[in-house]
Amino acid sequence: MKQKYFSCILLLCILLNLFFPTCLSSRTSQHNNNWAVIVCSSRFWFNYRHVANALSFYHTVKRLGIPDSNIILMLADDWACNARNCFPGKIFNNKDHNLNLYGTNVEIDYRGYEVNVENFLRLLTGRHEPDVPRNKRLLTDSGSNILVYLTGHGGNEFLKFQDSEEVSSKDIADAFEQMYQKKRYNEILFIIETCQANTLFNKFYSPNIAAIGCSELGENSYSHHFDSSIGVQVIDSFTYYSLNFLNNIKPGDSHTTLEKYFNSMTPKQIRSQPRLEFFQFQRNPREVLVSDFFGSIHDVVSHPIYDYSFQNDNHNQNGNIDANGEKENANRNDNFQLKNQFQHRDKAQPNIKISNQFQHNLEDEAIELSDNYFRLGMIILIFLIFFFALIEKIITQK
Amino acid sequence: MYHLKYGEIGRYSPPGGELIATFETKEDLESKFRTVSRKISGIFGTSQKFSDLTISAQPFYTEFNSLESTSQRTHYSSLPREPVCTENLTPWLKLLPCRSKAGLASLLNPIKLYDLFYHSMSVEVTRSQENSLSFHQQLLLVVELKEFKFSQIFGTPLIGPICPFSSQTKIQIEGFSDYSSFTPTPEEIGNNQVGFILKENLNNKKDFNLHYSPKENTNNNGYNHNNIGNGNSNNGNDNNNNFNNNGINDENISKNQSIKLNRFLKESGKIRGGVITQITNLEKNDLHLTLYDSLPWFMRVYFHTLTIKSNFENKEIEITDLNLEREQDNESNLFANQASLLRIQTSQDHGRPSIFELALVLKPGETFQISVDYLKGFLNFEEHPFDGNRGFDIAPAIVSMHGKKQNLKKRIYYTDSLLLMLPTPDFTMPYNVMTITTTAFLIWYGSFLNNLTGRAGLKLKKKSKAKWIIKPDKF
């Protein structure tokens, strides 16, 4: 009787193990924290729009939940308290001046001369001198999703830092490979907004990187509009239309995909060909969400003072007359119509490139193999038990 | 000079950023300072250049901390180029226990703060002998007012709760004696100062909008000062927020000021130049001052040109070379002569700066003019900053007042910072040189290679009409 009980229980356990998948494999690796590296690599007052781009993304990322401790902000010069700024302490990305990007709570980690190629690559690879403070380090681990946003002047396979030095696409690709070897990221979204931006990710060879560039080889990236009260262009087209889309995303959004974000900008609007490319992405690229990179999976409680209330540009009913003498509303309506017109045409040829989709890693194969071995072992064990039970019956009968 | 323009109410900071660190022992100061400066610049969002050895140095005879004599254990670094903006205010506010959510600090709005005549923030941490830590944060603002009202100064009255961590929230206003003109009425009334203690007012949910409307017609067209200090001590939660306000008219400048400082460059081209510092004694007594001047290595100072002239005498003042041993620190010996040279440190190229420290005795109304000449040095290509054509900012000189007999507080004064234009190279030259040499090399080598490896027989053969050809005999 005891033996029967024992064998029944054993059988049940084995059956359960057979019909439920084993816990050995973890094919879908989820991230457990988010980081952002936002770099404005240009110096001098006339590059105001680059810092407006960078701070717009900084704002978005903060609003969607990434805390300051997980954001590395590199601004190559001081614009807000510059002597040339008519609005001290304020940086705008729109000539309406409806949002002060600098706000009351901004933490800049690398400023001025510290924004250079060496520090950028040291930040990515984590190879710092021993007494570099904590806020200048990218303390990511293998479960971190990192958003890397670069803006400035660039060209064919390079990005210019501070008007003096360049970082090349090979450097960045090697830095990402070092990060991969050291398990410093889970997935990276690399957004770059310069002239000929797409060339900068020609050389990536590490897995799990998604890259968005705003212009092809031979194309320039254009600013969006000019602000006569400040005297310079205040924002670039790519960032302007990105913000139009991202402003509609709330924290905790779980259905807006990266593809949708990318398709919201048409080449006609930004006057250059953008590209979204996935390098050896482990999961389905079409399922990658915007909030995987722009938001945080932790619940971040933001204090009411530090809340940034956004006003969607599209809904801003402003009847002012801008520098060109046209009414602003008319401009926006035109853009909206153009967008509708060319939406379906671009859908026919999406600028998404998916390279090496669903690549089976060696690790996955090993996991599958061991799964099969285990299952085989279980089946053999069942047969053995039945066999021994039979033998016992025969012996006891005799 | 800030104290001249705005009055002497607090310790003004030099332009940019400044870091003063005093260590327990003299050994290994540079590496300790490097660690400290990196961590602190990480906290406050300033650049890491504080630890740069070509800038930082040790002033031996300037005492920053009035509590103890700290000579030769203090390391000092000044960055005049450092921008000060919201990203520096944010961590400063985060050090307060209630940040900017409660208490007096909720008045601080960076949009207003960075639109003023003068603003500076400082944090001072000292450890006393009983091993208790004193943490003092100071914010100094110079505001021009049409109307003395909180909502005018800060853009908002004081709404909201008082910080529950502070044992006392106090607003102290100096320089006004007619307390009846204040609304609400002050609790403390002293000699030329009034005080408001804010415990109950705000917890009753009433806005605190300090308003001063003088009943008489007082001439108040000068500058008003706001000094918000916040002190924490480890022993008890002794949190004291002081708000000082001082009204100064133009006529009061000569009354309150002790010295007048000026410093400028005497330049004559891209090769040589000179630095001149002028100090005027505005007091009625003799002043004992020490001057500390540190010039970076690319200003190659010639110390034999160090001269001091006075407006009271025709000839130059003789500089007594004291160059004291480091153990001797007797104050009475320092000021025995009119001008003594306390210390000289010569510079090292691409290394440490050149330093000289003088002890001066000024009679009332006397002006000293201290001048020294230099030759401009060449920087390596990599040492030029990214905007090298702007020039280099030279840190201000520090004048510190030593006064035991006169019973003055030990005060520190800073001169203006200077902007020095060095001969900058043409930064496009490496690119040009590479382009030209590679082009030239390519042309030579390319044609060389073509000639060597080109195929024979590609030219068309002309059909010769002559049928008989004399071939040479084989030798």
Side-chain angles (χ1 to χ4, degrees):
Chain A
M1 275 302 287
K2 267 194 189 169
Q3 276 179 350
K4 256 194 180 171
Y5 263 120
F6 183 66
S7 54
C8 278
I9 291 166
L10 199 62
L11 202 69
L12 263 173
C13 291
I14 289 162
L15 282 173
L16 278 170
N17 269 330
L18 267 182
F19 287 112
F20 286 92
T22 55
C23 306
L24 282 180
S25 71
S26 52
R27 188 89 67 85
T28 53
S29 52
Q30 296 291 321
H31 65 285
N32 52 36
N33 56 72
N34 284 83
W35 284 74
V37 175
I38 298 174
V39 178
C40 163
S41 63
S42 315
R43 167 170 282 272
F44 302 124
W45 176 249
F46 51 83
N47 290 322
Y48 186 101
R49 62 189 187 282
H50 293 149
V51 79
N53 294 346
L55 285 174
S56 304
F57 271 85
Y58 171 74
H59 245 242
T60 306
V61 142
K62 244 179 124 164
R63 177 180 66 90
L64 293 174
I66 302 186
D68 264 322
S69 54
N70 284 18
I71 303 178
I72 308 273
L73 182 61
M74 300 171 73
L75 300 185
D77 199 357
D78 169 48
W79 280 268
C81 293
N82 198 322
R84 275 168 137 167
N85 194 359
C86 304
F87 307 94
K90 297 184 194 172
I91 291 186
F92 303 112
N93 64 353
N94 198 307
K95 66 180 165 184
D96 298 335
H97 295 189
N98 48 10
L99 173 66
N100 171 20
L101 290 175
Y102 229 57
T104 55
N105 185 32
V106 60
E107 281 184 14
I108 298 178
D109 304 297
Y110 285 84
R111 54 168 12 191
Y113 299 137
E114 292 172 343
V115 178
N116 49 33
V117 174
E118 181 190 343
N119 281 348
F120 176 61
L121 293 176
R122 277 183 187 273
L123 169 81
L124 285 182
T125 54
R127 298 167 130 186
H128 293 285
E129 290 174 11
D131 44 13
V132 164
R134 200 187 159 90
N135 72 327
K136 288 183 155 64
R137 293 178 189 248
L138 191 63
L139 300 167
T140 53
D141 54 24
S142 60
S144 308
N145 273 10
I146 311 179
L147 167 73
V148 180
Y149 176 75
L150 305 177
T151 179
H153 290 289
N156 187 4
E157 302 215 9
F158 70 90
L159 168 71
K160 211 158 66 150
F161 266 77
Q162 302 262 14
D163 212 30
S164 310
E165 14 173 58
E166 302 103 34
V167 66
S168 72
S169 56
K170 193 79 175 64
D171 293 333
I172 302 182
D174 286 341
F176 282 160
E177 176 64 16
Q178 279 194 45
M179 290 173 79
Y180 172 66
Q181 296 290 339
K182 288 198 213 174
K183 298 186 174 46
R184 274 166 68 80
Y185 71 92
N186 177 36
E187 287 167 358
I188 290 183
L189 174 61
F190 180 76
I191 305 182
I192 173 145
E193 178 171 7
T194 65
C195 302
Q196 306 182 48
N198 297 346
T199 56
L200 211 72
F201 43 86
N202 276 349
K203 297 271 185 349
F204 284 179
Y205 56 98
S206 315
N208 282 332
I209 301 182
I212 299 180
C214 71
S215 51
E216 278 295 339
L217 176 66
E219 285 181 351
N220 293 332
S221 134
Y222 293 96
S223 65
H224 190 255
H225 62 265
F226 180 82
D227 183 350
S228 41
S229 56
I230 299 181
V232 281
Q233 270 83 10
V234 286
I235 192 160
D236 278 340
S237 295
F238 175 80
T239 307
Y240 181 83
Y241 291 106
S242 292
L243 287 182
N244 270 355
F245 181 82
L246 291 170
N247 284 350
N248 294 328
I249 299 197
K250 298 199 174 50
D253 185 292
S254 56
H255 53 269
T256 316
T257 61
L258 207 59
E259 192 182 337
K260 207 169 161 190
Y261 160 55
F262 178 74
N263 282 333
S264 69
M265 293 173 284
T266 64
K268 186 82 181 183
Q269 278 174 333
I270 65 177
R271 290 173 281 170
S272 53
Q273 280 283 336
R275 194 197 323 167
L276 166 62
E277 190 162 339
F278 292 90
F279 296 88
Q280 302 171 39
F281 231 71
Q282 293 256 314
R283 46 196 181 109
N284 187 357
R286 289 181 202 271
E287 287 170 11
V288 175
L289 298 175
V290 165
S291 56
D292 281 348
F293 296 100
F294 280 86
S296 175
I297 61 170
H298 299 291
D299 271 330
V300 176
V301 177
S302 64
H303 300 282
I305 301 180
Y306 305 141
D307 259 352
Y308 300 99
S309 54
F310 259 83
Q311 296 178 31
N312 197 351
D313 283 338
N314 274 335
H315 300 309
N316 195 11
Q317 297 299 316
N318 204 341
N320 292 341
I321 299 185
D322 68 357
N324 293 335
E326 299 164 356
K327 281 206 165 178
E328 286 188 14
N329 268 336
N331 248 343
R332 283 213 189 83
N333 283 334
D334 279 343
N335 282 337
F336 196 72
Q337 282 171 2
L338 282 172
K339 183 176 168 180
N340 276 334
Q341 213 175 350
F342 289 97
Q343 190 84 35
H344 61 275
R345 194 202 279 185
D346 282 6
K347 262 188 182 162
Q349 274 186 342
N351 280 321
I352 299 183
K353 215 174 172 186
I354 300 164
S355 38
N356 298 339
Q357 199 179 350
F358 300 128
Q359 186 189 25
H360 266 305
N361 271 348
L362 283 174
E363 284 177 15
D364 273 353
E365 285 182 14
I367 289 170
E368 282 181 47
L369 207 62
S370 54
D371 271 351
N372 292 335
Y373 277 136
F374 185 70
R375 289 191 179 130
L376 192 67
M378 286 288 123
I379 295 173
I380 292 175
L381 212 66
I382 292 177
F383 278 118
L384 274 176
I385 289 175
F386 274 122
F387 185 63
F388 280 125
L390 265 172
I391 290 180
E392 248 197 280
K393 247 193 178 173
I394 297 168
I395 292 177
T396 49
Q397 270 183 354
K398 278 202 175 165
Chain B
M1 275 298 90
Y2 302 127
H3 65 276
L4 213 56
K5 267 168 116 177
Y6 306 131
E8 287 188 31
I9 60 147
R11 159 105 172 267
Y12 289 98
S13 314
E18 173 192 56
L19 177 62
I20 306 166
T22 306
F23 299 96
E24 285 182 2
T25 56
K26 279 191 243 178
E27 281 88 34
D28 213 15
L29 272 185
E30 280 164 7
S31 63
K32 282 196 263 186
F33 183 73
R34 185 194 151 93
T35 315
V36 165
S37 68
R38 287 208 158 188
K39 299 292 180 195
I40 294 209
S41 60
I43 295 173
F44 288 101
T46 54
S47 58
Q48 301 266 289
K49 281 208 125 204
F50 279 114
S51 56
D52 191 0
L53 285 175
T54 62
I55 296 170
S56 64
Q58 296 168 49
F60 283 179
Y61 296 97
T62 306
E63 295 187 14
F64 295 99
N65 190 349
S66 49
L67 287 178
E68 46 184 282
S69 162
T70 56
S71 65
Q72 297 161 43
R73 291 184 287 132
T74 306
H75 217 93
Y76 174 81
S77 177
S78 170
L79 291 178
R81 184 77 200 281
E82 192 67 20
V84 178
C85 205
T86 312
E87 66 264 23
N88 305 112
L89 181 69
T90 309
W92 191 91
L93 283 176
K94 285 186 180 170
L95 287 175
L96 297 171
C98 290
R99 299 188 176 185
S100 59
K101 293 187 73 175
L104 284 177
S106 59
L107 291 169
L108 300 174
N109 177 11
I111 309 297
K112 279 274 179 181
L113 251 60
Y114 294 116
D115 203 4
L116 302 174
F117 289 117
Y118 178 86
H119 65 269
S120 84
M121 299 176 274
S122 72
V123 172
E124 192 173 325
V125 184
T126 42
R127 189 185 288 273
S128 64
Q129 262 111 12
E130 301 91 34
N131 239 4
S132 69
L133 201 65
S134 152
F135 190 87
H136 187 92
Q137 284 182 256
Q138 172 180 294
L139 181 73
L140 192 62
L141 307 168
V142 175
V143 182
E144 191 192 27
L145 293 178
K146 307 274 183 322
E147 190 190 354
F148 178 44
K149 206 174 173 184
F150 263 21
S151 46
Q152 284 280 311
I153 304 173
F154 298 106
T156 168
L158 187 55
I159 320 166
I162 308 182
C163 184
F165 294 108
S166 67
S167 60
Q168 192 185 44
T169 301
K170 185 172 167 194
I171 297 181
Q172 190 172 307
I173 304 184
E174 291 176 5
F176 292 91
S177 42
D178 49 344
Y179 52 88
S180 50
S181 318
F182 283 102
T183 46
T185 48
E187 277 96 10
E188 288 181 4
I189 299 164
N191 185 15
N192 206 24
Q193 76 182 28
V194 291
F196 297 84
I197 297 181
L198 296 182
K199 264 202 174 148
E200 291 91 26
N201 294 3
L202 289 186
N203 286 338
N204 289 343
K205 307 262 170 144
K206 250 190 337 185
D207 284 0
F208 184 81
N209 196 2
L210 185 63
H211 186 56
Y212 173 70
S213 45
K215 303 226 168 73
E216 313 150 357
N217 195 10
T218 56
N219 192 8
N220 201 11
N221 55 358
Y223 293 102
N224 290 319
H225 306 260
N226 305 323
N227 186 347
I228 299 186
N230 187 344
N232 280 336
S233 86
N234 211 6
N235 293 334
N237 277 333
D238 191 19
N239 208 328
N240 209 353
N241 295 329
N242 286 327
F243 175 80
N244 291 328
N245 182 296
N246 211 352
I248 289 193
N249 303 331
D250 287 327
E251 300 93 51
N252 290 345
I253 285 184
S254 54
K255 264 198 280 181
N256 290 343
Q257 308 320 316
S258 310
I259 67 174
K260 192 168 157 186
L261 269 182
N262 204 352
R263 186 184 193 218
F264 44 90
L265 288 174
K266 174 185 80 172
E267 277 208 10
S268 48
K270 290 189 178 178
I271 304 173
R272 53 181 61 92
V275 180
I276 297 182
T277 313
Q278 277 181 340
I279 311 176
T280 307
N281 182 359
L282 298 172
E283 292 251 339
K284 294 180 183 136
N285 315 312
D286 276 2
L287 274 187
H288 292 186
L289 304 169
T290 55
L291 168 72
Y292 163 82
D293 205 344
S294 120
L295 302 169
W297 66 266
F298 45 80
M299 299 165 80
R300 297 211 171 103
V301 175
Y302 286 87
F303 284 110
H304 72 277
T305 56
L306 178 65
T307 51
I308 303 182
K309 291 184 194 159
S310 163
N311 61 343
F312 280 7
E313 298 166 34
N314 283 333
K315 59 175 170 53
E316 284 174 13
I317 303 230
E318 185 196 326
I319 305 177
T320 323
D321 187 359
L322 286 185
N323 225 349
L324 298 173
E325 291 297 321
R326 292 188 174 189
E327 308 309 317
Q328 245 177 326
D329 198 16
N330 206 345
E331 280 251 351
S332 55
N333 286 346
L334 289 179
F335 299 103
N337 307 307
Q338 212 175 3
S340 340
L341 179 64
L342 298 175
R343 175 178 163 230
I344 272 188
Q345 177 183 299
T346 50
S347 62
Q348 277 175 359
D349 267 8
H350 312 284
R352 60 181 201 192
S354 39
I355 298 176
F356 63 93
E357 294 193 65
L358 296 168
L360 308 165
V361 176
L362 272 82
K363 304 193 195 77
E366 189 172 17
T367 303
F368 271 7
Q369 182 169 309
I370 302 132
S371 72
V372 69
D373 295 341
Y374 59 84
L375 278 185
K376 295 187 189 178
F378 285 110
L379 268 72
N380 287 339
F381 188 77
E382 306 86 33
E383 285 177 352
H384 283 277
F386 294 118
D387 52 353
N389 290 305
R390 182 189 177 274
F392 287 83
D393 292 81
I394 312 295
I398 310 175
V399 172
S400 96
M401 206 187 296
H402 297 248
K404 277 183 192 164
K405 290 177 190 172
Q406 291 89 351
N407 214 14
L408 289 166
K409 264 198 285 188
K410 283 189 184 172
R411 280 190 180 268
I412 308 268
Y413 297 92
Y414 297 94
T415 62
D416 284 326
S417 66
L418 308 168
L419 188 63
L420 177 74
M421 306 298 292
L422 282 186
T424 46
D426 181 359
F427 292 106
T428 63
M429 275 328 269
Y431 163 76
N432 291 341
V433 166
M434 273 193 269
T435 316
I436 284 184
T437 47
T438 49
T439 310
F441 183 68
L442 201 65
I443 289 174
W444 174 79
Y445 188 70
S447 46
F448 192 63
L449 203 63
N450 271 341
N451 282 328
L452 278 181
T453 60
R455 281 194 200 163
L458 285 176
K459 299 179 192 167
L460 287 171
K461 278 191 186 161
K462 259 194 201 170
K463 284 190 180 170
S464 60
K465 287 187 176 171
K467 298 257 168 112
W468 45 273
I469 304 168
I470 301 172
K471 285 192 183 170
D473 293 327
K474 289 190 180 169
F475 297 118

